[in-house]
Each structure stands twice: as C-alpha cells, then as structure tokens.
C-alpha cells in the first residue's frame, strides 16, 4: 500500500530517506524485525542510502499498519513488496536481468518464505504460550502505560490467532517447516528474494526466545548460515555501517 | 496396499470429476501415482457435517486436508515426485505457496463471495448434494469461511472493505495465472513429461475455475486467454479422468 504523489518517479533518491520501525531494544518483535531487516538489506543491495529511525508508534504511523515503512521525499510506502515496486519505478531493480521463468520462481519463493518463515515466527510469537507470556506480551506493550499495555497486547494476540485459524495453523505445525529451500535465482546479483530470506533467517538466528525450535532448525543448514554471513559481511559491514546488533 | 483407500469428496459437474478444488487435487494426485482410490461422493445419505472434505479413510486411519492426505499416500509408497530433484521439490513447495497466497483468495471469492455466482450457482449446487437440513446450513458456513479467510489474510487497514480487497485479490490472481503460464510454457507438465504434486495442485485450483459456468466471469475470462493452462487442464481430464464413462 502506498500513497503516491503525482510526480512519483521523477525525483532521484533523496539523501534523507528514512525507514521507520519500532524500538529496537525493548519493543520490536521477531517478525517485524525480520521484515525491517529485509527492507534494509534490499536497499543496501540497491545501493540506496537509508536512515533507520525507531518510534514506539511505528505500527500506527504506517499507512498499512505494517512495519517497516519508508519515508522518501513526500511519499510513505510500507512493506517489502510495495517498496520493491516503488524502488523499481525510480529506476533501481535487482531482478530486471531475470528471465520470465526465473521471475516467476522468485515470486513463488518469496511467497513460500512468507508462508513458512513469517507464519512460523508469528505463531511462535503469539500462539506459543511460553513465548507470549515471557517475551511478546511485555515487549509489545512496553511503550504504553497500564492498562493500555495489556489491552493492546491481548488485542494483537487475538488478531493473530484469528488469522492463524483462518489459514489452518491452529495446531502446532512448526515441524512442517521445511528449510531445505535453495535460493534459485541468479548467483551473480542478489535479488529481493535474498533480502527477504536474509531478513528472516538472520533475525531467527540472533533473537533470544524461550523456544529455540525455529533457530535450531535453521542452524542445521550450513548453506543457510553461510548465506547469512555472506550478506551480512558484504552489505552491512563493508559499508562501514558497523555490525547489525 | 491391501487395505482399501476410500476418499470422501464432493461430486463432479461441468465435465469435472469434482467441482471442489481440494478434492480435485487429491483425486488428480491419486491418478498420477496410481493409488487405487475408491471415491465416495457426498450425497443425500451423507451423515458427516464437518465440511472437512476431502477425507481419506483406510482401515485404521482418517486423514483430512490435501497436504496431509498426499503425505499419507507418499508414505504408502504412492509417490508422484519420485523423479524430482531437490530443487524441483523445493520449487513445488514454492509454487504451491504462490497458489495459496495469490490465486486461492480470488478463486474463493469467485465461488463463494461474489453474490451472483454464489446464489445462482455455488449455493444451489452444494445444497443439492447434501441432505436437508444440512443443505440449509453448510453452504452458508462454507461461504462465511471463505469470506473470513479472504478478509483476514488480505484485508488490512486501509483495505477493510471488501470492494478494495476484491480489486487487489483479482489483480494478484491474474498475475499468478500469468506466472503459471510462463512457467509451464509448452511443456506437458510442470516438470517434464510425467505429472507430479505441483501438477495436481495447479489442476485442482484451475480446473473448477475453467469449467464451472458462472455469471460473473472475470477471472475465468483471463484464464481462458492463457491457452497453455487450458490445454493443461483438458489434457489431464482426457488422459486421467475419462468422464464420458461416468467415472468418479
């Protein structure tokens, strides 16, 4: 979803482009962190500078209610999909060189990542009682005074549970997570798929949760670990941005 | 191999062995890998009320949901993906995810939410297959379930209203159909000359959309322009489901 002004593609990428997400230390949750990291990785891969700003109400500032969102010139765009399209309209694309079939595969794999990884993260965060009690609830409500902190957290949990039920994730399906997908796209240049996968995997590997099932599963795949390390080194360290915390 | 495998599913019509996508996926998969399925279509004597169809029953097991049923069949050595490489297996998962995210909402909408279609075609058909008074309840429940699924997975602020979601889901579905058509190209099946799980899924989702006669047909019209996808469905129907003999 994005609000578009009339002259959208004319202006070049401004120096003060900003990305908004929730507070890093105390508030942001696994799934939102992954989404934010994916967008950051994507923009790094396109060589477009972006400043990360943390706001407690980032979720409510976003036009679609999802984080992260970017503020570029006078436009606000949220979520990786629309951001990729917006960046493309400005003349930067990572996947232009792909053939039709490869583009189809890339889109399919992005859906798969969303389907499996994002859903597993959401399930872990909001439907695993131990995680909810010890981590999610407290983090989600942290910027707000009592009783708003509890109300908002319960409301969000109810929303996520409804969604899980609608798509059939009611019972624990983490075992079905099949992490043997191979990144099929061109090895010459990374694409938005790589950004998405990196965002999720890196976050899963580096976030401390009560339930380690997800990160243990990912750790079993050395090719995925190597992939994360490669992207981190190439796009986040080399640019003098310092390590991702 | 000894125990008979029975599949309960929705009946066919309009030239299809079943008009229900999920039932069709299982039936196609079974045909592809030669699993001997005894098909029991739901009719006026059906006593189950859960709407969980398709359901596979063996002597001591009851399995529902296409993914689980296919898994079960594979464990019984009915494996249509035997020849696929690891990458093709991963591709299968990816394309199935694409189908469920991008195509399914619009298919659900075409069948269950679009009022002209639902009231003139879908509801009467399903109601005619089940005994009274279930016929009064189940179609409505299935319709609400479909709407729910669409709104919960796609309707987010500011797209709370169905009309805006509709435009988006049909756009996504058309794009998905284009992607599938590109991927299939001129091949007979998605991975070469023999059909696999992915072919079963694509067939299951596309065939009802292709064949059922609806008043509101925008997605159907789009599909009909993709001739290789139509050819794909027709080929499977004529090779694996010889309907003219009244085969289930």
């Amino acid at each position: 979803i994005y609000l578009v002004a009339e002259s959208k593609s004319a202006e070049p990428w401004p120096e003060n482009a900003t990305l908004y997400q929730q507070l890093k230390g105390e508030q942001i949750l696994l799934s939102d962190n992954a989404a934010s990291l994916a967008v950051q990785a994507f923009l790094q891969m396109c060589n477009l500078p972006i400043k990360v700003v943390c706001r407690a109400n980032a979720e409510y500032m976003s036009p679609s209610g999802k984080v992260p969102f970017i503020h570029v010139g006078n436009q606000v765009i949220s979520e990786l999909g629309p951001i990729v399209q917006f960046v493309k309209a400005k003349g930067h694309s990572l996947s232009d060189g792909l053939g039709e079939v490869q583009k189809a595969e890339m889109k399919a794999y992005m859906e798969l990542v969303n389907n499996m990884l994002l859903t597993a993260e959401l399930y872990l965060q909001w439907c695993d009682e131990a995680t909810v009690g010890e981590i999610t609830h407290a983090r989600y409500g942290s910027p707000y005074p009592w009783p708003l902190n509890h109300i908002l957290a319960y409301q969000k949990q109810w929303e996520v549970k409804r969604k899980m039920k609608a798509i059939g994730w009611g019972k624990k399906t983490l075992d079905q997570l099949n992490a043997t997908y191979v990144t099929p796209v061109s090895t010459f240049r990374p694409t938005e798929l790589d950004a998405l996968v990196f965002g999720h995997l890196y976050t899963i590997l580096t976030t401390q949760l009560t339930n380690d099932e997800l990160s243990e599963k990912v750790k079993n795949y050395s090719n995925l670990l190597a992939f994360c390390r490669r992207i981190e080194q190439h796009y986040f360290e080399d640019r003098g941005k310092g390590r991702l915390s | 191999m000894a125990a008979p495998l029975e599949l309960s599913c929705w009946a066919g019509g309009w030239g299809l062995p079943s008009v229900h996508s999920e039932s069709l996926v299982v039936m196609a998969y079974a045909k592809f890998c030669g699993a001997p399925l005894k098909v029991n279509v739901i009719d006026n004597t059906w006593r189950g009320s859960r709407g969980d169809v398709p359901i596979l029953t063996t002597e001591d097991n009851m399995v529902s949901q296409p993914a689980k049923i296919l898994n079960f069949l594979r464990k019984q050595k009915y494996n249509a993906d035997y020849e696929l490489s690891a990458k093709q297996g991963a591709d299968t998962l990816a394309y199935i995810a694409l189908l469920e995210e991008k195509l399914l909402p619009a298919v659900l909408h075409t069948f269950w939410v679009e009022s002209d279609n639902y009231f003139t075609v879908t509801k009467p058909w399903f109601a005619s297959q089940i005994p009274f008074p279930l016929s009064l309840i189940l179609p409505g429940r299935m319709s609400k379930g479909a709407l729910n699924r669409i709104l919960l997975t796609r309707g987010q602020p500011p797209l709370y209203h169905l009309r805006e979601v509709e435009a988006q889901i049909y756009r996504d579905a058309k794009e998905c159909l284009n992607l599938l058509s590109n991927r299939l190209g001129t091949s007979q099946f998605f991975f070469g000359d023999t059909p696999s799980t992915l072919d079963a899924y694509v067939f299951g989702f596309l065939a009802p959309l292709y064949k059922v006669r609806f008043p509101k047909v925008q997605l159907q019209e789009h599909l009909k322009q993709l001739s290789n996808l139509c050819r794909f469905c027709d080929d499977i129907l004529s090779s694996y489901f010889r309907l003219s003999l009244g085969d289930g």
Side-chain angles (χ1 to χ4, degrees), chain A residues 92-215:
Chain A
H92 307 267
S93 169
L94 295 178
S95 51
D96 263 354
L98 297 181
E100 286 306 317
V101 173
Q102 284 178 305
K103 272 196 195 146
E105 274 187 11
M106 185 185 75
K107 297 218 163 147
Y109 273 93
M110 286 178 82
E111 286 311 325
L112 184 64
V113 171
N114 272 330
N115 224 330
M116 298 216 128
L117 285 184
L118 178 61
T119 315
E121 288 162 8
L122 284 176
Y123 182 87
L124 202 52
Q125 275 168 202
W126 291 106
C127 307
D128 177 71
E129 290 307 326
T131 313
V132 170
E134 286 184 32
I135 300 180
T136 315
H137 214 92
R139 282 182 77 89
Y140 189 77
S142 64
Y144 310 105
W146 185 92
L148 197 54
N149 55 348
H150 286 301
I151 297 175
L152 289 178
Y154 275 120
Q155 184 188 56
K156 182 79 180 183
Q157 182 180 18
W158 181 73
E159 224 179 86
V160 174
K161 276 190 163 162
R162 269 181 83 201
K163 181 172 165 175
M164 292 289 144
K165 193 150 167 258
I167 60 179
W169 262 70
K171 303 181 204 61
K172 195 157 186 198
T173 20
L174 273 180
D175 333 305
Q176 285 176 13
L177 181 65
N178 184 344
T180 54
Y181 52 80
V182 172
T183 2
V185 290
S186 161
T187 46
F188 301 116
R189 294 176 65 193
T191 64
E192 46 264 40
L193 171 61
D194 300 287
L196 182 64
V197 173
F198 171 73
H200 282 278
L201 290 184
Y202 187 89
T203 309
I204 289 174
L205 289 170
T206 54
T207 307
Q208 276 284 64
L209 288 179
T210 46
N211 186 328
D212 274 337
E213 230 177 296
L214 206 51
S215 72

Side-chain angles (χ1 to χ4, degrees), chain B residues 5 17 95 112 158 165 193 204 211 225 233 242:
Chain B
L5 301 168
Y95 277 103
W112 295 99
V165 180
D193 299 327
K211 296 284 187 184
Q225 290 171 17
C233 292
R242 252 161 266 257

